[in-house]
Amino acid sequence: MTLFILGLFIGVLSTGPGAPPVALTVFVSIFMGGIYGLMTVPSFVAGYGLLKRRRWARTASIVGAVTAAMNFPIGTAVCTYTFWFLFSEPGKSLYDRPQAALPPHSVNWQSGPRQLQRDHQYVPPTTPPDWR
């Protein structure tokens, strides 16, 4: 949408008898395009982090939501939803959990893997009572 508006801006303002110089129009268009481009970078970084379930994705999403809030009304709605999700319990548990570590395994490697003993034996389930 930004590229369309910038193209329209260049097309409309560079024609006509009292139009500003073309160089000024191009400079303003490139400057505004750069500003809008920089505002989208945090959202793309946050999107990558959220897809990969990284711990830093929550912080990047908050930064991305704040920059998206400036694009009224859709950006403000996205910002509100992002804050609502990330500060709720499911959002906290999804992106604030520590990295999972493997549990310690006690194996006697000198005796070999075939000589491992089982901790418990199979016990068949009890039969349910007959209520007839």
Side-chain angles (χ1 to χ4, degrees), residues 55-131:
R55 292 186 70 196
W56 52 264
R58 187 167 182 261
T59 305
S61 298
I62 292 169
V63 172
V66 169
T67 58
M70 292 183 246
N71 297 322
F72 184 79
I74 303 297
T76 307
V78 169
C79 176
T80 304
Y81 178 74
T82 302
F83 285 164
W84 175 73
F85 174 72
L86 290 176
F87 292 118
S88 68
E89 284 304 316
K92 288 179 184 177
S93 66
L94 191 61
Y95 293 106
D96 279 349
R97 61 185 168 154
Q99 295 292 333
L102 293 174
H105 194 320
S106 59
V107 175
N108 187 358
W109 293 103
Q110 294 176 349
S111 64
R114 295 184 187 262
Q115 296 177 1
L116 294 176
Q117 295 183 9
R118 296 183 180 213
D119 294 336
H120 57 289
Q121 296 294 326
Y122 174 75
V123 178
T126 60
T127 57
D130 188 15
W131 296 99

